[in-house]
């Protein structure tokens, strides 16, 4: 039951006000007001067991997906996970200051990322390493953020993948503005139209900026897909701390569609994202997608989830792994040989090795970097600070101080 | 810079010179900027049909259409946050914040995105946007309509901050700010919107980030900006009658500040009074004092004195005359400095 | 049709994405995506013509309202309007710096204000002079704000009516916190429970703070009635600039009820507010009420509505006047004599005279007021500034400077 | 003030003295405050089960329950805005902002409501709330996690601002801040959370709004606060080896500042270096310079020098050692001052 309104909100009418509905902790956990169950409205095309569920509404959006395509999606997810695990290990070994794992969210990210057309724009939060991959951002280009050498070294305009945004919710407004721009430039209205996708988490939905993004996008008919990865946790807080209702229903109050998809199902995510992006590029935006998934690792490498959640939960979600179900499906129904899997395995080892190699050899940024590119047109005050600092620092080179 | 083409607006005939109010000047400057560059868009609350509560955007929506002059939803974070996205897309948004006290809902977007995105992207993204803020008191308004928040932005690295004090500067500075590839906070002295001056469209404007000596003097230096410039010029005129020649410098650029003319002046006068209506604590006036005492240590014949708003919330308007620095308080400080 | 979702949002399915729905300006005005029509969901108990509409759902909430009660509501509205008009005139005559008229919103404010119990708390925006009246705030206590002598001189705790909040949306979070406190203190759960009501406008709904207030109140089951007076204008912007949908529907996305009431119908507003407050005091909060009304005067005395709206609109709304319909009803169906109306008229003249008298004699605040009550425990820095200033100012008294 | 009763927490046995980290000290101080007054509630992101990302609220929810330790929705304006309402209702909320860079979404509520409500109501409403902010750099974090935003709040009339620098102060100051009837921004030097000291629960604490001379000296004065206090003490120790005795003053109170000990000191030493890792422009360090040059005009033998973060966005962490003032930069400034 994904619409628990009836028990919290009796209808007006004869008689005294209804008694307070006080769910017990157990009821909450059991999902009485939960935002965490799948529910009948969850779009799923591939079960955790790897079986294809026919769905007349959504099948058309993936009817062109060949076995080859599915293998590519599989490959994307495996490589993404491998990059994620390698980076996590690099952090453990002191090569990165921190890492933000996406483990478990590969399908949500690859499915939506692969739904994008080249002309589309994406605004990530900080966990979208899989989406970055689909936009042609090299995994090595992500590392600087976490090693502390830069704030992201890819070209956000060339890749059409904005820089990571760490302040929760900020990017939603930036994306809304960008999408408004697409519309103002007349780039919306047909199959070649442009669209924007914006990623944020379940926790982010509480932020004022996300709301304002919903208001702006709906008022300006912006071609914007709000892509909420509900991984069920905002650090230590479960989604119940952010909402009474499943998050996709938030859209109902703004007058645009909200839809919940199994975020561990790459095919369903692809289908729903394609539909949503198409709606947007044709001028019917915005759309909200809630990808229902699970953060299988810690929030970041500095987090300790054992303090706030039970390992049972993780075990249950392991059975819904986004990669495994595709693997099973490919083997059982798509005549995929071991060779393919071995090859993807090799490729991912290769990628991981390159990542490691790159990471270990990343140069330190020069001190002048602190002062560089703050302003397009410079600042005499800052320039003077830079000059004084560099002169001061030069005193140490072979100096005596 | 060429005179603005005003073929679309019947009420403003093309002339090479015109007597205009500061508000009208901004309006003409915005119009010129919009004509010069189709990527310039104006956005904010009530900037369309109404032309803004101060009419600074009057007629722009009529002439440039609803896609270039946007009446936005009522939320300042939304205004600035979407302007960031529009700027990334290649637009040059000019955002109006209706009153100084309403910029705070947008503070996060300004500090975390507007100020940092260029640095974060190492120059791959420019944010050529202007945030217009009518600021300061003296208009008898209710709470939150008379704030002077410029120091918050001067303290924020990555932003540029300017303030105009007269119609001529207003006309040029708004256009220069819009052409600037950096984000500019543009503080408009709202109590001076109705001050008039002769505006020569063919003149060559000063650079945007340069302070200006508005009155030469030998006895003491006054550094000020925005609405207080007029107050200080009046003070200087009064002082002159008593034989004291005050040098008045309009800073114009608040971040980065151009203090060289102030240093030069203080080296000659030995006395500096800084005037600003913002509360003094941890402010631009503190910054000026801190820098001048360092640069002009041996020239100073008295400590640098500050005449500012008090470190209290802006009062109910019946008290604002007492809160705001005025001629008497400026002269009192000058006298204290000269008599040190 | 108050749910225009169907035309902006085609269902996913076979076939290309739907063509962009581009409403023309006329369609917008005609209400295709409008947020401004009443619609079948508008609760109305008293028609503009003064006829009582039976309503099985809502009648129970006003079944105890006697003719006497209705006359009192009428009186409240007349006095409120008279205060409003007098203050408006005082502004025109230079006695006030500005005035924020409530003309047209008397029913929304009196209906909801009179639904409050003494233990309830109210958080106004800045136009709630009618609600202030119901909370026992004297009209004279409002004047300081607009004359510039103070920021409101009533006692917000004693009156259980918070000070006016001018920064749009701020008070919604403050109210949510206050209501959480009512709950934390165990003051919620039965007929004697406490509730809070919070007022804001249609424009305010776009603000992040209002959203966050919705999130907090729903997550903490706060006994909070969100009372949105949709007077259809946020200064010069029509509600279409803030939302695609009628605003009461916003609540749907958060999992609490939203209801639209005819804000020009004092009886309906009373009924709906009583219900909502009762739900809250019993623990079933929050609730959103959208009171559909019209700002009949300018935004403030400095505003010029002729620049952005047609006088036709105003004429149409004059026919829906909140006071007139009660008057007609009292005369036609409740045996009310002219004497009563004359008496209310006299009373209102008297009140206006007192207001004027008071206003003209308001003392100027002393200069020390600038520095007073900034801190509960003082500040040596500010004290020094005060002392220096007072000494400086004393130099002028009979001084020569 | 009595020793905290810690009967509920097995891990912290009751003793009259204990060696604790600064982080633990805050935890103990919070616990003591919550035990002393049932109206004290703690709210913020992840402050419950997790005990906060820095574990400052560790164990509090377990011991005081979910209605006194609230894991709030993820929105800072919401945290502060609802805390205002709770304070109006009579609670004493202690809000945690997870990191310095995330206080900005709450800026509007802080500036427009927290700072002004008491003045607006002419004292009819008190807002006894504390906003805890782990601040500053030096921990190798990603962007927005190393900011020093204290000057924004010092510039805001109506707020009080303090910063602790060591475990002993942390323990007392957090309790004093909570007992204070004014809203207090409480800045915690996060890079010092793991510094240890002996905490005597029976000691009598200093007043909250008083600066402290931590080291006596005769050659030059250093005024600093928060994380830089340790840096400055180390600098003074190093200088002593070269025969220079530096007086180090921990300001503790940032607004209102207690500068009397600084004036006294400068009158003796004639030299002042102000150290803060925040960018210098329009900051607290400017304010100190502005005020000291006025108060100690005739005592100063050299201009007041400032050692601060640069007026650039906080850099990627590999560069933070260069960005942050360190022993060398402090000593360099001292030398420049002494050699003026
Ligand atoms: C404005 C702001 N407040 C707090 C934080 C600290 N923080 C980082 S991630 C996070 C939780 C985010 O949860 P969610 O939105 O669900 O995204 P997820 O991390 O699960 O992908 C928090 C509180 C932040 N980055 N920005
Ligand atoms: C944060 C903020 N931004 C802008 C304003 C200026 N302003 C005052 S009232 C108003 C319109 C409010 O409209 P609405 O919420 O519909 O309330 P109404 O005035 O119609 O009652 C605006 C933009 C403000 N007070 N606060
Ligand atoms: Mg999450
Ligand atoms: Mg309105």
């Amino acid at each position: 039951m994904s619409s628990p309104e009836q028990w919290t909100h009796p209808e007006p009418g004869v008689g005294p006000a209804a008694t307070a509905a006080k769910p017990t902790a157990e009821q909450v956990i059991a999902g009485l007001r939960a935002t965490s169950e799948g529910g009948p409205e969850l779009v799923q095309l591939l079960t955790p067991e790897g079986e294809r569920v026919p769905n007349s509404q959504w099948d058309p959006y993936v009817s062109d997906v060949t076995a080859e395509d599915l293998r590519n999606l599989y490959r994307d997810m495996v490589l993404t996970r491998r990059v994620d695990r390698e980076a996590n290990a690099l952090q453990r070994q002191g090569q990165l200051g921190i890492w933000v794992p996406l483990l478990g969210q590969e399908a949500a990210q690859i499915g939506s990322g692969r739904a994008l057309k080249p002309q589309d724009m994406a605004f990530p939060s900080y966990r979208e390493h899989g989406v970055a991959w689909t936009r042609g951002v090299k995994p090595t280009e992500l590392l600087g953020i976490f090693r502390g050498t830069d704030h992201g070294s890819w070209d956000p305009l060339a890749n059409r993948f904005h820089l990571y945004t760490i302040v929760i919710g900020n990017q939603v407004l930036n994306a809304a503005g960008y999408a408004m721009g697409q519309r103002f430039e007349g780039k919306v209205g047909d199959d070649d139209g442009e669209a924007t996708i914006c990623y944020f988490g379940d926790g982010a939905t509480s932020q004022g900026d996300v709301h304002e993004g919903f208001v702006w996008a709906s008022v300006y008919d912006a071609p914007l897909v709000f892509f909420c990865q509900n991984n069920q946790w905002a650090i230590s807080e479960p989604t119940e701390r952010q909402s009474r209702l499943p998050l996709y229903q938030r859209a109902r109050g703004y007058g645009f569609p909200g839809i919940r998809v199994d975020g561990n199902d790459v095919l369903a995510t692809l289908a729903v994202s394609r539909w949503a992006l198409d709606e947007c590029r044709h001028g019917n935006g915005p759309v909200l997608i809630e990808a229902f998934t699970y953060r299988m690792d810690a929030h970041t490498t500095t987090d300790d989830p054992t303090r706030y959640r039970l390992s049972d939960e993780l075990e249950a979600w392991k059975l819904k792994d986004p990669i495994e179900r595709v693997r099973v499906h490919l083997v059982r129904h798509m005549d995929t040989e071991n060779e393919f899997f071995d090859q993807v395995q090799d490729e991912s080892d290769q990628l991981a090795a390159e990542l490691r190699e790159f990471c270990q050899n990343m140069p330190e940024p020069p001190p002048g970097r602190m002062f560089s590119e703050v302003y397009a047109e410079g600042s005499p005050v800052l320039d003077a600070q830079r000059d004084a600092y560099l002169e001061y620092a030069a005193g140490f080179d072979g100096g005596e101080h | 810079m060429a005179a603005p083409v005003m073929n679309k607006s019947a009420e403003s005939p093309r002339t090479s010179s015109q007597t205009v109010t500061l508000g009208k000047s901004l309006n003409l400057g915005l119009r010129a900027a919009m004509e010069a560059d189709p990527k310039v868009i104006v956005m904010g609350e009530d900037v369309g049909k109404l032309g803004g509560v101060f009419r600074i955007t009057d007629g722009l929506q009529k002439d440039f259409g609803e896609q270039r002059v946007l009446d936005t939803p009522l939320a300042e974070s939304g205004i600035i946050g979407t302007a960031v996205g529009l700027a990334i897309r290649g637009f040059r948004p000019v955002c109006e914040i209706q009153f100084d006290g309403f910029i705070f809902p947008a503070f996060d977007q300004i500090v975390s995105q507007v100020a940092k995105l260029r640095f974060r992207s190492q120059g791959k993204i420019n944010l050529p946007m202007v945030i217009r803020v009518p600021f300061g008191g003296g208009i008898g308004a209710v709470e939150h309509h008379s704030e002077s928040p410029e120091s918050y932005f001067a303290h924020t690295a990555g932003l540029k901050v300017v303030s105009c004090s007269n119609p001529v500067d207003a006309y040029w500075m708004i256009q220069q700010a819009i052409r600037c590839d950096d984000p500019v906070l543009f503080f408009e002295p709202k109590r001076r919107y109705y001050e008039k001056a002769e505006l020569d469209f063919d003149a060559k404007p000063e650079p945007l980030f340069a302070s200006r000596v508005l009155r030469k003097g030998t006895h003491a230096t006054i550094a000020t900006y925005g609405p207080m410039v007029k107050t200080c010029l009046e003070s200087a005129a009064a002082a002159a009658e008593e034989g004291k020649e005050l040098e008045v410098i309009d800073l114009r650029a608040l971040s980065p500040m151009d203090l060289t003319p102030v240093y030069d002046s203080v080296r000659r006068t030995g006395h500096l009074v800084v005037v600003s209506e913002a509360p003094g604590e941890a402010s631009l006036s503190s910054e000026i004092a801190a820098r001048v005492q360092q640069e002009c240590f041996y020239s100073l014949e008295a400590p640098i004195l500050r005449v500012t708003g008090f470190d209290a919330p802006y009062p109910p308007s019946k008290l604002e005359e007492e809160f705001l620095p005025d001629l008497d308080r400026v002269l009192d400080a000058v006298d204290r400095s000269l008599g040190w």
Side-chain angles (χ1 to χ4, degrees), chain A, chain B:
Chain A
M1 45 169 297
S2 52
S3 292
E5 283 175 6
Q6 70 280 9
W7 65 266
T8 39
H9 313 117
E11 288 292 295
V14 190
T19 330
K22 289 192 187 143
T24 63
E26 289 67 37
Q27 284 173 314
V28 169
I29 289 161
L32 234 191
R33 72 188 305 178
T35 58
S36 57
E37 91 289 20
E41 288 148 52
L42 186 79
V43 179
Q44 192 183 69
L45 299 181
L46 209 54
T47 67
E49 296 73 31
E51 295 306 316
R52 182 73 166 74
V53 195
N55 182 317
S56 61
Q57 199 176 19
W58 293 105
D59 285 347
Y61 294 94
V62 285
S63 58
D64 63 336
V65 174
T66 61
E68 183 64 22
D69 292 337
L70 200 58
R71 279 192 282 271
N72 279 335
L73 292 170
Y74 174 84
R75 173 179 167 273
D76 283 338
M77 292 197 289
V78 170
L79 296 187
T80 296
R81 179 171 291 185
R82 186 54 197 267
V83 164
D84 182 66
R85 294 299 84 195
E86 193 67 23
N88 215 64
L90 283 165
Q91 194 282 334
R92 297 281 174 234
Q93 293 150 19
Q95 290 292 329
L96 298 177
I98 194 173
W99 180 250
V100 183
L102 66 44
L103 193 72
Q105 301 180 217
E106 296 85 355
Q109 295 193 15
I110 297 300
S112 58
R114 287 298 177 205
L116 293 166
K117 292 192 178 177
Q119 70 269 27
D120 294 337
M121 180 71 182
F123 282 77
S125 178
Y126 43 75
R127 202 185 288 284
E128 279 64 63
H129 320 315
V131 186
W133 171 260
T134 68
R135 301 308 283 165
V137 173
K138 294 197 216 89
T140 51
E141 290 175 313
L142 303 170
L143 291 181
I145 302 172
F146 302 101
R147 195 174 160 96
T149 57
D150 59 46
H151 295 317
S153 59
W154 65 95
D155 184 329
L157 299 176
N159 289 102
R160 291 188 169 253
F161 182 72
H162 191 61
L163 290 179
Y164 279 5
T165 297
I166 289 176
V167 183
I168 301 290
N170 277 186
Q171 77 279 13
V172 178
L173 278 170
N174 305 155
Y178 189 94
M180 283 163 64
Q182 292 175 315
R183 182 156 203 138
F184 292 167
E185 287 181 2
K187 296 293 169 57
V188 168
D190 56 27
D191 286 352
D192 301 325
E194 292 188 26
T196 295
I197 193 166
C198 181
Y199 294 86
F200 54 92
D202 43 294
T205 58
S206 294
Q207 282 283 9
D209 273 12
V210 174
H211 159 73
E212 295 181 19
F214 284 16
V215 170
W216 251 260
S218 58
V219 162
Y220 289 99
D221 302 332
L224 179 56
V225 175
F226 296 105
F227 196 92
C228 176
Q229 288 174 83
N230 178 358
N231 63 9
Q232 301 183 58
W233 293 93
I235 309 187
S236 72
E237 301 195 16
T239 314
E240 287 81 358
R241 303 280 358 115
Q242 320 289 343
S243 182
R244 284 180 171 185
L245 290 189
L247 294 167
Y248 74 95
Q249 295 191 18
R250 194 59 62 78
R252 304 195 303 175
Y254 299 87
F256 58 86
I259 196 151
R260 178 179 257 197
V261 65
D262 181 348
N264 283 17
D265 175 350
V266 72
L267 208 58
T269 307
L270 180 69
V272 167
S273 303
R274 279 179 168 181
W275 166 74
L277 287 161
D278 270 2
E279 283 301 313
C280 286
R281 76 179 80 258
H282 283 86
N284 297 308
V287 174
L288 168 65
I289 296 174
E290 177 192 0
F292 192 69
T293 179
Y294 188 74
R295 197 195 77 208
M296 294 182 76
D297 200 343
H299 172 67
T300 68
T301 45
T302 56
D303 179 37
D304 174 10
T306 63
R307 293 179 69 100
Y308 54 82
R309 66 185 193 187
L310 300 173
S311 55
D312 293 10
E313 194 179 90
L314 178 60
E315 292 311 314
W317 277 90
K318 278 190 184 160
L319 302 176
K320 304 184 197 165
D321 190 274
I323 298 184
E324 193 51 27
R325 69 177 78 180
V326 181
R327 183 187 181 92
V328 171
H329 186 75
L330 285 175
V331 171
R332 282 212 201 124
H333 304 290
M334 297 217 146
D335 306 322
T336 309
E337 309 285 335
N338 270 342
E339 205 189 327
F340 165 75
F341 296 106
D342 292 347
Q343 185 191 313
V344 171
Q345 184 59 43
D346 288 351
E347 202 183 344
S348 79
D349 289 344
Q350 175 71 22
L351 188 63
E354 282 165 23
L355 192 74
R356 168 169 298 265
E357 164 85 11
F358 183 93
C359 185
Q360 285 162 344
N361 293 304
M362 283 172 81
E364 301 278 294
R369 164 74 169 82
M370 280 196 298
F371 305 96
S372 75
E373 304 294 356
V374 175
Y375 296 104
E377 303 189 356
S379 154
V381 169
L382 188 57
D383 290 350
Q385 289 181 11
R386 180 198 55 212
D387 295 347
Y389 176 75
L390 293 179
E391 193 185 313
Y392 158 83
F396 288 90
D397 303 340
E400 53 229 271
H401 198 82
Chain B
M1 193 178 305
V5 186
M6 278 170 296
N7 48 348
K8 286 179 187 141
S9 168
E11 49 160 337
S12 316
R14 185 188 179 137
T15 48
S16 68
S17 154
Q18 200 179 326
T19 303
V20 289
T21 61
L22 196 157
K24 180 71 186 170
S25 222
L26 288 167
N27 178 269
L28 292 173
L30 283 169
R31 180 176 289 278
M34 294 189 77
E35 275 162 359
D37 183 349
K39 286 296 182 187
V40 175
I41 59 177
V42 164
M43 54 198 286
E45 294 154 10
D46 306 295
V47 297
K49 267 195 186 162
L50 185 63
V53 293
F54 290 108
R55 310 290 184 267
I56 307 301
T57 57
D58 192 25
L60 297 180
Q61 191 180 63
K62 193 163 118 282
D63 293 341
F64 295 97
E66 295 203 0
Q67 273 195 3
R68 289 192 65 197
V69 181
L70 315 182
D71 268 334
T72 65
L74 202 177
E76 288 74 11
S77 191
I79 295 171
I80 304 302
T82 56
V84 167
L86 283 157
I88 295 172
R89 178 74 189 184
F91 288 84
R92 300 181 91 88
V94 182
C95 306
E96 174 171 308
I97 297 292
Q98 199 162 79
F99 282 91
D100 34 59
F102 309 138
I103 197 165
F104 302 120
F107 203 72
D108 178 42
Q109 282 284 345
I110 297 175
V111 168
S112 303
Q113 301 304 323
V114 178
K116 296 194 173 77
L117 199 42
R118 182 168 211 285
F119 178 74
R120 184 180 305 143
S121 72
Q122 277 294 284
K124 296 189 198 83
I125 294 173
N126 273 352
L127 287 184
M129 52 190 280
V130 173
I131 303 176
R132 293 182 40 241
V133 190
F135 83 124
I139 62 160
V142 294
E143 216 189 341
H144 310 287
H145 291 69
S146 306
E147 310 279 314
S148 296
E150 62 275 15
S151 294
Y152 295 118
F153 303 101
H155 182 57
T156 306
L159 303 175
K160 291 185 170 172
V161 186
V162 303
S163 179
C164 56
S165 69
N166 61 69
V168 176
D169 276 359
Y171 176 73
W172 298 112
M173 286 173 76
I174 188 65
Q175 295 180 68
Q176 292 167 319
I178 293 170
R179 267 206 316 274
C180 179
D181 278 333
D182 289 309
V184 178
L185 274 283
F186 193 92
F187 284 94
E188 303 172 0
K190 68 167 97 79
R191 69 193 280 201
R192 307 298 182 207
Y193 273 150
Y194 304 99
E195 301 286 327
K196 284 187 184 153
E198 184 73 13
L199 175 58
D200 174 0
F201 296 108
D202 299 325
K204 197 178 139 12
E206 307 280 323
L208 180 57
F209 294 98
S211 54
R212 268 180 71 192
V213 179
L214 293 189
R215 182 185 175 113
K216 293 296 261 177
T218 49
H219 294 108
T221 307
I222 297 186
T224 188
Y225 59 90
M228 283 293 118
V229 170
K230 180 162 189 270
T231 307
C232 291
L233 286 173
E234 287 166 0
S235 307
E241 294 185 6
E242 297 179 20
K244 287 172 235 160
E245 291 301 334
L246 308 184
E247 183 141 319
V248 179
I249 301 178
D250 180 357
L251 294 170
R252 299 167 83 253
L254 306 184
S255 182
M257 278 194 285
D258 168 29
L259 289 184
T260 311
V262 179
Y263 302 151
D264 290 347
S265 178
V266 171
R267 286 190 189 112
R268 283 184 283 106
T269 64
H271 295 268
L272 176 62
V273 174
V274 183
V275 182
S276 160
E277 63 176 85
E281 193 173 333
S283 70
L284 271 164
S285 66
S286 337
E287 179 67 18
I288 297 166
R291 271 155 73 179
V292 173
Q293 66 86 27
Q294 182 169 352
E295 285 298 318
C296 306
F297 186 68
Y298 291 116
S299 313
L300 281 168
E301 287 163 28
I304 299 155
L305 299 182
R306 295 185 281 162
V307 182
T308 67
F310 300 106
D311 291 311
Y314 198 90
S317 63
K318 288 276 181 198
L319 288 167
E320 69 182 341
E321 276 183 32
E322 262 110 312
F323 186 88
L324 295 169
D326 60 6
L327 185 142
D328 286 323
R329 275 175 65 201
V330 171
L331 291 182
D332 175 67
V334 168
D335 287 350
R336 279 186 290 128
S337 177
L338 293 176
W340 204 267

